[in-house]
Amino acid sequence: MTSRNQQLFELSQQYIPGGVNSPVRAFKSVGGTPIFFRRGKGPYVWDADDKTYIDYVGSWGPLILGHAHPDVIKAVQAAAQNGLTFGAPTEAELEIAELLCRLVPSIEQVRLVSSGTEATMSAIRLARGYTGRNRIIKFEGCYHGHDDALLVKAGSGALTFGHPSSAGVPEGTTASTVVLDYNDLSGVKQAFGQFGEEIAAVIVEPVAGNMNLVTPQTGFLPALRELCTQYGSVLIFDEVMTGFRVGQGCAQGLYGIKPDLTTLGKVIGGGMPMAAFGGRRDIMQCLAPLGPVYQAGTLSGNPVAVAAGLATLRLVQMPGFYEKLAATTGQLTEGLTLAAKKHGVIFCAQAVGGMFGLYFRENLPASYTEVMSCDKEAFNRFFHAMLEEGVYFAPSAFEAGFVSAAHGDAEISKTLAAAEKVFDTWK
Ligand code: KE4
């Protein structure tokens, strides 16, 4: 019998390219029919066939409180009653700007936008406008949204300029983008040695979460900080995913590095379309209407989205919030590792705050190349077997997973019991 998910997917492909509004949702990497969600509550989601899942995607990171947290819903409803948008300053935007500047010391001024892509695109333009330089450095496997200049794959040699990783991006747009290997200290030093004075910015995910999860090796982030300072380049921490996910001070607080600009998204919008970029006042002052770098947005600072973000940021500041989140996430990764080991399955996992990585390989990957050596087929088998058991992980071997404050012992136990069952019959 055709499931409702299948019926909906069939139909949606007639009206929406690939049947989805964002490619990763189409299950192309794992195969099978994507799930159409109907409802979410806490750590659970229900699909169009009314099947229940424990959700470890959380809309790719925003839902750190879980689905439909009552405080967030109430705040959104209250804000909506007063109007959905004004296209003019509101007090709530000032409140969240002050809060972000207080919670993230490197942010002296901040501008709100509607998506992570807008935040990184604007930060790159701002860094170029501030320095008067064009070249930027990014790292293979890091994703910063779909801005043309950042849709780049590594050039043939380590230091050749990037080539577009998407159709429709003119060669010229990526010609100034150098793509290096994440955690490759010598590569970074070589690039600065060759182009240092021409580099406008380095943009990096301080904990990479878009090639599965890869943590920065000791010395990597400090080296980026030192080299950017030495050559007058702007260090941009793309914390759209790690911001308020890995700790209250974000990844920059965890690793003790002060970037020049930070991009934020996901958690700060609490599930509504909101992101931000901010940092050193002297750089931010280059933005219109003060300075020559143009950036704008009809719904930037949208009051309903800000209300969801404020409600979320208030709750993540509660004492012990991140300790509990990290403990739950660690319970999950340690439990999965033990279950796999017990059944002789080659598998490892790690957690950083409320995000985690699962890998079908012997040891934790430290680079894009090592992530690519994971057994993708094994992951896909695991993904579907767990889905069958009512556990929803990210539908790609190359994505990080997320735990919310709503996940408790019951959900972790259910997940580990399901994994035990799956690994027990692992061929
Ligand atoms: P959005 O434009 O999707 O709001 O944000 C882009 C972005 C920027 N920077 C980082 C570090 C990000 O992780 C993202 C978006 N993350 C993906 C998940 N891998 C969003 C999911 C999707 O593309 O549908």
Side-chain angles (χ1 to χ4, degrees):
M1 195 262 277
T2 310
S3 78
R4 184 80 181 118
N5 283 318
Q6 285 166 324
Q7 288 166 359
L8 290 171
F9 189 47
E10 277 304 306
L11 198 54
S12 68
Q13 290 176 82
Q14 289 179 37
Y15 301 98
I16 307 171
V20 292
N21 284 308
S22 199
V24 70
R25 305 177 188 176
F27 275 32
K28 286 272 182 245
S29 180
V30 291
T33 302
I35 298 173
F36 281 67
F37 287 142
R38 201 169 43 75
R39 185 168 72 88
K41 185 66 185 164
Y44 294 99
V45 282
W46 288 263
D47 73 7
D49 292 309
D50 222 18
K51 181 178 166 81
T52 310
Y53 301 90
I54 299 173
D55 180 12
Y56 287 105
V57 182
S59 185
W60 304 98
L63 300 178
I64 200 162
L65 301 176
H67 290 271
H69 188 288
D71 292 18
V72 178
I73 300 300
K74 206 160 63 186
V76 164
Q77 287 170 331
Q81 296 293 349
N82 295 326
L84 299 180
T85 179
F86 304 101
T90 62
E91 195 172 339
E93 288 164 77
L94 169 58
E95 189 181 347
I96 200 166
E98 280 178 318
L99 181 59
L100 290 172
C101 292
R102 181 160 54 82
L103 294 177
V104 189
S106 72
I107 297 181
E108 295 172 333
Q109 283 205 320
V110 65
R111 177 151 293 172
L112 303 179
V113 293
S114 301
S115 74
T117 295
E118 256 196 285
T120 57
M121 172 180 75
S122 308
I124 292 288
R125 183 183 312 131
L126 176 58
R128 285 173 158 161
Y130 170 76
T131 59
R133 304 173 184 177
N134 290 333
R135 296 184 200 278
I136 53 174
I137 288 178
K138 79 170 289 286
F139 296 90
E140 181 103 64
C142 286
Y143 174 68
H144 304 288
H146 59 93
D147 173 42
D148 277 0
L150 295 166
L151 284 179
V152 196
K153 57 178 183 281
S156 46
L159 292 185
T160 56
F161 298 117
H163 299 287
S165 58
S166 163
V169 175
E171 280 288 341
T173 319
T174 57
S176 303
T177 308
V178 179
V179 184
L180 301 178
D181 288 331
Y182 195 80
N183 279 326
D184 175 13
L185 271 185
S186 61
V188 174
K189 286 175 181 162
Q190 200 184 350
F192 269 95
Q194 192 159 349
F195 310 111
E197 307 294 344
E198 302 165 37
I199 295 171
V202 172
I203 185 165
V204 66
E205 289 184 64
V207 175
N210 286 287
M211 51 170 145
N212 206 320
L213 188 152
V214 177
T215 55
Q217 304 281 289
T218 308
F220 178 59
L221 297 178
L224 296 184
R225 177 61 281 169
E226 279 154 39
L227 287 162
C228 283
T229 304
Q230 184 184 341
Y231 287 90
S233 307
V234 175
L235 177 57
I236 303 172
F237 268 18
D238 178 357
E239 297 224 42
V240 166
M241 185 183 283
T242 54
F244 302 102
R245 167 59 59 180
V246 298
Q248 185 172 312
C250 309
Q252 56 194 269
L254 203 58
Y255 293 99
I257 300 285
K258 193 170 182 180
D260 301 307
L261 291 179
T262 299
T263 54
L264 296 167
K266 297 180 191 273
V267 170
I268 69 162
M272 294 291 283
M274 186 166 80
F277 64 103
R280 274 173 36 197
R281 181 181 298 274
D282 61 328
I283 300 176
M284 294 300 285
Q285 301 271 303
C286 296
L287 281 172
L290 295 179
V293 180
Y294 195 70
Q295 183 276 334
T298 305
L299 296 177
S300 294
N302 175 269
V304 181
V306 167
L310 279 171
T312 301
L313 290 173
R314 271 187 212 107
L315 286 165
V316 303
Q317 293 177 74
M318 300 299 277
F321 180 89
Y322 286 100
E323 290 74 9
K324 172 86 174 53
L325 184 68
T328 306
T329 314
Q331 254 184 299
L332 173 72
T333 51
E334 285 147 28
L336 290 172
T337 306
L338 281 176
K341 192 176 172 70
K342 180 178 161 191
H343 295 284
V345 177
I346 296 175
F347 172 91
C348 60
Q350 68 178 327
V352 181
M355 63 193 275
F356 62 87
L358 309 178
Y359 321 90
F360 282 83
R361 73 190 304 268
E362 285 291 346
N363 44 43
L364 298 177
S367 69
Y368 175 75
T369 308
E370 290 183 0
V371 168
M372 289 303 133
S373 72
C374 290
D375 183 342
K376 184 173 172 254
E377 296 324 311
F379 172 83
N380 292 352
R381 230 170 44 241
F382 177 73
F383 171 81
H384 282 287
M386 291 300 277
L387 203 59
E388 201 47 42
E389 297 297 322
V391 178
Y392 177 60
F393 285 120
S396 163
F398 308 112
E399 293 284 355
F402 304 95
V403 170
S404 82
H407 288 76
D409 291 344
E411 287 72 37
I412 300 302
S413 308
K414 276 183 205 161
T415 305
L416 298 182
E420 182 66 38
K421 186 176 166 192
V422 168
F423 285 141
D424 188 32
T425 57
W426 198 257
K427 32 210 175 304

mmCIF file of all heavy atoms in Angstrom, residues 224-258:
data_model
loop_
_atom_site.group_PDB
_atom_site.id
_atom_site.type_symbol
_atom_site.label_atom_id
_atom_site.label_comp_id
_atom_site.label_asym_id
_atom_site.label_seq_id
_atom_site.Cartn_x
_atom_site.Cartn_y
_atom_site.Cartn_z
ATOM 1 N N LEU A 224 44.692 30.362 12.594
ATOM 2 C CA LEU A 224 43.883 31.231 11.730
ATOM 3 C C LEU A 224 43.804 32.627 12.339
ATOM 4 O O LEU A 224 43.943 33.635 11.641
ATOM 5 C CB LEU A 224 42.469 30.654 11.571
ATOM 6 C CG LEU A 224 42.323 29.303 10.880
ATOM 7 C CD1 LEU A 224 40.845 28.932 10.735
ATOM 8 C CD2 LEU A 224 43.013 29.290 9.515
ATOM 9 N N ARG A 225 43.638 32.680 13.665
ATOM 10 C CA ARG A 225 43.549 33.954 14.353
ATOM 11 C C ARG A 225 44.859 34.757 14.192
ATOM 12 O O ARG A 225 44.872 35.899 13.840
ATOM 13 C CB ARG A 225 43.222 33.728 15.825
ATOM 14 C CG ARG A 225 43.155 34.961 16.738
ATOM 15 C CD ARG A 225 42.108 35.979 16.371
ATOM 16 N NE ARG A 225 42.488 36.812 15.298
ATOM 17 C CZ ARG A 225 41.653 37.636 14.667
ATOM 18 N NH1 ARG A 225 40.380 37.721 15.007
ATOM 19 N NH2 ARG A 225 42.057 38.392 13.663
ATOM 20 N N GLU A 226 45.982 34.063 14.432
ATOM 21 C CA GLU A 226 47.289 34.751 14.358
ATOM 22 C C GLU A 226 47.563 35.255 12.939
ATOM 23 O O GLU A 226 47.958 36.406 12.732
ATOM 24 C CB GLU A 226 48.411 33.785 14.765
ATOM 25 C CG GLU A 226 48.619 33.608 16.265
ATOM 26 C CD GLU A 226 49.241 32.252 16.600
ATOM 27 O OE1 GLU A 226 50.134 31.817 15.842
ATOM 28 O OE2 GLU A 226 48.789 31.626 17.583
ATOM 29 N N LEU A 227 47.317 34.408 11.948
ATOM 30 C CA LEU A 227 47.629 34.791 10.564
ATOM 31 C C LEU A 227 46.727 35.929 10.090
ATOM 32 O O LEU A 227 47.185 36.868 9.436
ATOM 33 C CB LEU A 227 47.492 33.575 9.648
ATOM 34 C CG LEU A 227 48.628 32.548 9.795
ATOM 35 C CD1 LEU A 227 48.219 31.208 9.202
ATOM 36 C CD2 LEU A 227 49.908 33.069 9.151
ATOM 37 N N CYS A 228 45.435 35.880 10.470
ATOM 38 C CA CYS A 228 44.546 36.978 10.059
ATOM 39 C C CYS A 228 44.994 38.281 10.703
ATOM 40 O O CYS A 228 45.019 39.336 10.058
ATOM 41 C CB CYS A 228 43.098 36.653 10.443
ATOM 42 S SG CYS A 228 42.316 35.463 9.323
ATOM 43 N N THR A 229 45.395 38.217 11.968
ATOM 44 C CA THR A 229 45.885 39.429 12.644
ATOM 45 C C THR A 229 47.153 39.938 11.970
ATOM 46 O O THR A 229 47.280 41.115 11.638
ATOM 47 C CB THR A 229 46.176 39.116 14.130
ATOM 48 O OG1 THR A 229 44.997 38.583 14.735
ATOM 49 C CG2 THR A 229 46.623 40.362 14.882
ATOM 50 N N GLN A 230 48.058 39.015 11.687
ATOM 51 C CA GLN A 230 49.341 39.399 11.085
ATOM 52 C C GLN A 230 49.161 40.071 9.719
ATOM 53 O O GLN A 230 49.819 41.065 9.408
ATOM 54 C CB GLN A 230 50.206 38.135 10.917
ATOM 55 C CG GLN A 230 51.611 38.387 10.389
ATOM 56 C CD GLN A 230 52.373 37.082 10.145
ATOM 57 O OE1 GLN A 230 51.992 36.008 10.687
ATOM 58 N NE2 GLN A 230 53.424 37.141 9.362
ATOM 59 N N TYR A 231 48.230 39.559 8.925
ATOM 60 C CA TYR A 231 48.084 40.079 7.551
ATOM 61 C C TYR A 231 46.914 41.037 7.387
ATOM 62 O O TYR A 231 46.597 41.455 6.272
ATOM 63 C CB TYR A 231 47.939 38.901 6.572
ATOM 64 C CG TYR A 231 49.243 38.154 6.347
ATOM 65 C CD1 TYR A 231 49.591 37.068 7.151
ATOM 66 C CD2 TYR A 231 50.134 38.566 5.358
ATOM 67 C CE1 TYR A 231 50.784 36.393 6.966
ATOM 68 C CE2 TYR A 231 51.338 37.902 5.166
ATOM 69 C CZ TYR A 231 51.667 36.818 5.974
ATOM 70 O OH TYR A 231 52.865 36.155 5.790
ATOM 71 N N GLY A 232 46.235 41.371 8.488
ATOM 72 C CA GLY A 232 45.110 42.313 8.387
ATOM 73 C C GLY A 232 43.907 41.753 7.661
ATOM 74 O O GLY A 232 43.119 42.488 7.065
ATOM 75 N N SER A 233 43.746 40.423 7.700
ATOM 76 C CA SER A 233 42.578 39.779 7.090
ATOM 77 C C SER A 233 41.511 39.621 8.157
ATOM 78 O O SER A 233 41.815 39.551 9.347
ATOM 79 C CB SER A 233 42.966 38.403 6.528
ATOM 80 O OG SER A 233 44.087 38.538 5.661
ATOM 81 N N VAL A 234 40.246 39.520 7.723
ATOM 82 C CA VAL A 234 39.124 39.397 8.662
ATOM 83 C C VAL A 234 38.869 37.923 8.936
ATOM 84 O O VAL A 234 38.676 37.139 8.000
ATOM 85 C CB VAL A 234 37.855 40.058 8.082
ATOM 86 C CG1 VAL A 234 36.643 39.840 8.982
ATOM 87 C CG2 VAL A 234 38.101 41.560 7.863
ATOM 88 N N LEU A 235 38.883 37.522 10.205
ATOM 89 C CA LEU A 235 38.574 36.140 10.564
ATOM 90 C C LEU A 235 37.077 36.048 10.835
ATOM 91 O O LEU A 235 36.564 36.694 11.760
ATOM 92 C CB LEU A 235 39.352 35.693 11.802
ATOM 93 C CG LEU A 235 39.059 34.281 12.313
ATOM 94 C CD1 LEU A 235 39.308 33.221 11.236
ATOM 95 C CD2 LEU A 235 39.883 33.964 13.563
ATOM 96 N N ILE A 236 36.400 35.279 9.992
ATOM 97 C CA ILE A 236 34.948 35.097 10.136
ATOM 98 C C ILE A 236 34.665 33.702 10.665
ATOM 99 O O ILE A 236 35.016 32.701 10.023
ATOM 100 C CB ILE A 236 34.226 35.268 8.784
ATOM 101 C CG1 ILE A 236 34.517 36.626 8.145
ATOM 102 C CG2 ILE A 236 32.707 35.077 8.969
ATOM 103 C CD1 ILE A 236 33.997 36.779 6.718
ATOM 104 N N PHE A 237 34.080 33.615 11.842
ATOM 105 C CA PHE A 237 33.597 32.325 12.362
ATOM 106 C C PHE A 237 32.146 32.162 11.909
ATOM 107 O O PHE A 237 31.266 32.917 12.326
ATOM 108 C CB PHE A 237 33.657 32.298 13.899
ATOM 109 C CG PHE A 237 34.939 31.739 14.462
ATOM 110 C CD1 PHE A 237 36.088 31.637 13.699
ATOM 111 C CD2 PHE A 237 35.000 31.319 15.785
ATOM 112 C CE1 PHE A 237 37.264 31.136 14.225
ATOM 113 C CE2 PHE A 237 36.169 30.786 16.333
ATOM 114 C CZ PHE A 237 37.303 30.705 15.549
ATOM 115 N N ASP A 238 31.933 31.170 11.062
ATOM 116 C CA ASP A 238 30.557 30.874 10.668
ATOM 117 C C ASP A 238 29.954 29.978 11.745
ATOM 118 O O ASP A 238 30.164 28.766 11.751
ATOM 119 C CB ASP A 238 30.529 30.193 9.292
ATOM 120 C CG ASP A 238 29.103 29.847 8.889
ATOM 121 O OD1 ASP A 238 28.177 30.082 9.702
ATOM 122 O OD2 ASP A 238 28.906 29.330 7.774
ATOM 123 N N GLU A 239 29.210 30.596 12.655
ATOM 124 C CA GLU A 239 28.598 29.874 13.784
ATOM 125 C C GLU A 239 27.081 29.738 13.584
ATOM 126 O O GLU A 239 26.333 29.598 14.559
ATOM 127 C CB GLU A 239 28.933 30.580 15.107
ATOM 128 C CG GLU A 239 30.423 30.601 15.428
ATOM 129 C CD GLU A 239 30.727 30.250 16.886
ATOM 130 O OE1 GLU A 239 30.098 29.310 17.414
ATOM 131 O OE2 GLU A 239 31.582 30.915 17.507
ATOM 132 N N VAL A 240 26.677 29.731 12.344
ATOM 133 C CA VAL A 240 25.247 29.512 12.066
ATOM 134 C C VAL A 240 24.787 28.222 12.723
ATOM 135 O O VAL A 240 23.697 28.145 13.287
ATOM 136 C CB VAL A 240 24.992 29.487 10.535
ATOM 137 C CG1 VAL A 240 23.617 28.922 10.205
ATOM 138 C CG2 VAL A 240 25.146 30.886 9.946
ATOM 139 N N MET A 241 25.629 27.185 12.674
ATOM 140 C CA MET A 241 25.258 25.893 13.273
ATOM 141 C C MET A 241 25.740 25.792 14.731
ATOM 142 O O MET A 241 25.016 25.337 15.600
ATOM 143 C CB MET A 241 25.846 24.741 12.460
ATOM 144 C CG MET A 241 25.418 23.372 12.942
ATOM 145 S SD MET A 241 26.190 22.028 12.044
ATOM 146 C CE MET A 241 25.267 22.025 10.529
ATOM 147 N N THR A 242 26.963 26.245 15.015
ATOM 148 C CA THR A 242 27.539 26.045 16.348
ATOM 149 C C THR A 242 27.084 27.105 17.345
ATOM 150 O O THR A 242 27.186 26.884 18.563
ATOM 151 C CB THR A 242 29.076 26.110 16.262
ATOM 152 O OG1 THR A 242 29.451 27.350 15.636
ATOM 153 C CG2 THR A 242 29.639 24.950 15.471
ATOM 154 N N GLY A 243 26.559 28.216 16.841
ATOM 155 C CA GLY A 243 26.146 29.315 17.720
ATOM 156 C C GLY A 243 25.068 28.893 18.703
ATOM 157 O O GLY A 243 23.990 28.477 18.302
ATOM 158 N N PHE A 244 25.355 28.963 20.008
ATOM 159 C CA PHE A 244 24.421 28.568 21.082
ATOM 160 C C PHE A 244 24.011 27.107 20.973
ATOM 161 O O PHE A 244 23.025 26.681 21.573
ATOM 162 C CB PHE A 244 23.186 29.498 21.092
ATOM 163 C CG PHE A 244 23.547 30.932 21.271
ATOM 164 C CD1 PHE A 244 23.557 31.799 20.199
ATOM 165 C CD2 PHE A 244 23.951 31.402 22.517
ATOM 166 C CE1 PHE A 244 23.937 33.121 20.349
ATOM 167 C CE2 PHE A 244 24.334 32.731 22.688
ATOM 168 C CZ PHE A 244 24.321 33.599 21.599
ATOM 169 N N ARG A 245 24.765 26.342 20.174
ATOM 170 C CA ARG A 245 24.517 24.896 20.045
ATOM 171 C C ARG A 245 25.542 24.102 20.863
ATOM 172 O O ARG A 245 25.261 23.119 21.488
ATOM 173 C CB ARG A 245 24.559 24.502 18.566
ATOM 174 C CG ARG A 245 24.630 23.055 18.237
ATOM 175 C CD ARG A 245 23.528 22.190 18.721
ATOM 176 N NE ARG A 245 22.186 22.536 18.266
ATOM 177 C CZ ARG A 245 21.112 21.831 18.646
ATOM 178 N NH1 ARG A 245 21.274 20.801 19.463
ATOM 179 N NH2 ARG A 245 19.897 22.159 18.251
ATOM 180 N N VAL A 246 26.829 24.625 20.799
ATOM 181 C CA VAL A 246 27.901 23.894 21.487
ATOM 182 C C VAL A 246 28.171 24.483 22.873
ATOM 183 O O VAL A 246 28.962 23.951 23.637
ATOM 184 C CB VAL A 246 29.198 23.861 20.650
ATOM 185 C CG1 VAL A 246 28.959 23.129 19.330
ATOM 186 C CG2 VAL A 246 29.733 25.268 20.401
ATOM 187 N N GLY A 247 27.527 25.596 23.186
ATOM 188 C CA GLY A 247 27.715 26.222 24.502
ATOM 189 C C GLY A 247 27.176 27.638 24.461
ATOM 190 O O GLY A 247 26.951 28.196 23.385
ATOM 191 N N GLN A 248 26.981 28.238 25.659
ATOM 192 C CA GLN A 248 26.387 29.579 25.680
ATOM 193 C C GLN A 248 27.305 30.622 25.043
ATOM 194 O O GLN A 248 26.839 31.604 24.466
ATOM 195 C CB GLN A 248 26.073 30.002 27.117
ATOM 196 C CG GLN A 248 25.350 31.353 27.151
ATOM 197 C CD GLN A 248 24.832 31.735 28.519
ATOM 198 O OE1 GLN A 248 24.194 30.915 29.181
ATOM 199 N NE2 GLN A 248 25.118 32.941 28.936
ATOM 200 N N GLY A 249 28.619 30.325 25.074
ATOM 201 C CA GLY A 249 29.559 31.274 24.452
ATOM 202 C C GLY A 249 29.858 30.907 23.011
ATOM 203 O O GLY A 249 30.790 31.418 22.400
ATOM 204 N N CYS A 250 29.066 29.947 22.453
ATOM 205 C CA CYS A 250 29.265 29.474 21.071
ATOM 206 C C CYS A 250 30.612 28.758 20.959
ATOM 207 O O CYS A 250 31.284 28.535 21.981
ATOM 208 C CB CYS A 250 29.161 30.644 20.083
ATOM 209 S SG CYS A 250 27.685 31.621 20.313
ATOM 210 N N ALA A 251 31.057 28.426 19.745
ATOM 211 C CA ALA A 251 32.322 27.693 19.606
ATOM 212 C C ALA A 251 33.487 28.606 19.966
ATOM 213 O O ALA A 251 34.489 28.170 20.543
ATOM 214 C CB ALA A 251 32.468 27.183 18.179
ATOM 215 N N GLN A 252 33.344 29.892 19.695
ATOM 216 C CA GLN A 252 34.434 30.833 20.017
ATOM 217 C C GLN A 252 34.686 30.883 21.518
ATOM 218 O O GLN A 252 35.858 31.017 21.918
ATOM 219 C CB GLN A 252 34.149 32.223 19.464
ATOM 220 C CG GLN A 252 32.860 32.882 19.876
ATOM 221 C CD GLN A 252 32.566 34.079 18.988
ATOM 222 O OE1 GLN A 252 32.960 35.192 19.281
ATOM 223 N NE2 GLN A 252 31.879 33.848 17.883
ATOM 224 N N GLY A 253 33.643 30.680 22.309
ATOM 225 C CA GLY A 253 33.818 30.620 23.763
ATOM 226 C C GLY A 253 34.462 29.311 24.174
ATOM 227 O O GLY A 253 35.345 29.268 25.032
ATOM 228 N N LEU A 254 34.049 28.235 23.498
ATOM 229 C CA LEU A 254 34.568 26.900 23.809
ATOM 230 C C LEU A 254 36.074 26.844 23.544
ATOM 231 O O LEU A 254 36.839 26.262 24.312
ATOM 232 C CB LEU A 254 33.845 25.897 22.900
ATOM 233 C CG LEU A 254 33.765 24.441 23.310
ATOM 234 C CD1 LEU A 254 33.099 24.274 24.663
ATOM 235 C CD2 LEU A 254 32.982 23.659 22.242
ATOM 236 N N TYR A 255 36.504 27.455 22.427
ATOM 237 C CA TYR A 255 37.920 27.340 22.020
ATOM 238 C C TYR A 255 38.735 28.583 22.362
ATOM 239 O O TYR A 255 39.916 28.678 22.043
ATOM 240 C CB TYR A 255 38.007 27.028 20.518
ATOM 241 C CG TYR A 255 37.462 25.659 20.176
ATOM 242 C CD1 TYR A 255 36.167 25.492 19.681
ATOM 243 C CD2 TYR A 255 38.205 24.502 20.430
ATOM 244 C CE1 TYR A 255 35.645 24.244 19.408
ATOM 245 C CE2 TYR A 255 37.697 23.240 20.166
ATOM 246 C CZ TYR A 255 36.407 23.117 19.666
ATOM 247 O OH TYR A 255 35.885 21.871 19.404
ATOM 248 N N GLY A 256 38.075 29.609 22.945
ATOM 249 C CA GLY A 256 38.815 30.793 23.394
ATOM 250 C C GLY A 256 39.450 31.599 22.272
ATOM 251 O O GLY A 256 40.557 32.115 22.391
ATOM 252 N N ILE A 257 38.730 31.692 21.139
ATOM 253 C CA ILE A 257 39.248 32.466 20.003
ATOM 254 C C ILE A 257 38.287 33.628 19.754
ATOM 255 O O ILE A 257 37.072 33.443 19.766
ATOM 256 C CB ILE A 257 39.310 31.596 18.720
ATOM 257 C CG1 ILE A 257 40.231 30.393 18.942
ATOM 258 C CG2 ILE A 257 39.740 32.426 17.516
ATOM 259 C CD1 ILE A 257 41.713 30.705 18.923
ATOM 260 N N LYS A 258 38.840 34.809 19.485
ATOM 261 C CA LYS A 258 37.984 35.972 19.230
ATOM 262 C C LYS A 258 38.013 36.302 17.735
ATOM 263 O O LYS A 258 38.995 36.883 17.247
ATOM 264 C CB LYS A 258 38.500 37.157 20.058
ATOM 265 C CG LYS A 258 37.539 38.324 20.123
ATOM 266 C CD LYS A 258 37.988 39.371 21.152
ATOM 267 C CE LYS A 258 36.979 40.514 21.234
ATOM 268 N NZ LYS A 258 37.379 41.551 22.211
#
